Amino acid sequence: MKKLPAILLLMACCTACQTLHRGDLLFHLPAADNHITAVTQGTADHVAIALGGDSVLEAIPGKGVVVSRLRTVLRRESGSYVRGIVRNIDTERSISNARRFIGRPYDSVFSNTTEAIYCSELVQQSFVDKSGKLVFKPIAMSFHDSTGHITKYWEDFYAKRGLAVPEGQEGSNPSDLMRKTKIKKLKGQLSHL
């Protein structure tokens, strides 16, 4: 009898996976804090765009902007996933905008250009409202911890590339997108299938 709630929870998670709609956002919440969540206000470290069916569009290291199978994404890393609904958008135009980035390389230095794209930048640069205006405005990038100091990880990361840490430059991050009022976090979390 004690196993029944766990079974019902598993069924609810699988049902949520099946109700991911075209234009929804899929946020990854890692099982433990990492170098991204340590410097952003939130718990998400990746975001993908649902295309409908078993497909999502995402920007991932080593592959760039690609269409991936939902099941593959959900199995990729430990942690959980949250579905976000972006309200008052032109879904088809937003997805069309995002698809134009397919094949672009992944932006591993999180620059404010579209020559290469990182996950939250793909969403920020693509989602538009009914009048064609971008829904998500760029924010000041954060590479510092709660004390206000840039973390050693990010200092070393950019030093190896001969670059300054782009602290405060325009950009985006998954946690910021997840906090936006235009996104509705659904009860429960999508988990690995």
Side-chain angles (χ1 to χ4, degrees), residues 50-136:
L51 297 177
D54 187 36
S55 298
V56 298
L57 183 60
E58 61 181 340
I60 51 177
K63 293 188 176 182
V65 181
V66 295
V67 175
S68 302
R69 292 189 63 207
L70 176 60
R71 290 180 182 272
T72 301
V73 172
L74 296 177
R75 289 183 181 138
R76 188 181 298 141
E77 295 183 51
S78 64
S80 58
Y81 289 84
V82 174
R83 174 185 173 210
I85 300 171
V86 186
R87 295 174 291 210
N88 303 318
I89 62 166
D90 182 333
T91 301
E92 293 311 311
R93 190 167 174 190
S94 296
I95 288 175
S96 177
N97 289 344
R99 283 185 166 280
R100 69 187 165 112
F101 293 112
I102 292 175
R104 296 265 173 99
Y106 184 78
D107 185 355
S108 60
V109 296
F110 311 103
S111 63
N112 192 24
T113 69
T114 56
E115 294 163 4
I117 299 287
Y118 56 96
C119 68
S120 58
E121 183 182 32
L122 177 64
V123 174
Q124 189 269 320
Q125 291 285 333
S126 301
F127 275 58
V128 293
D129 62 19
K130 306 286 184 190
S131 65
K133 293 181 182 172
L134 289 175
V135 172
F136 301 108

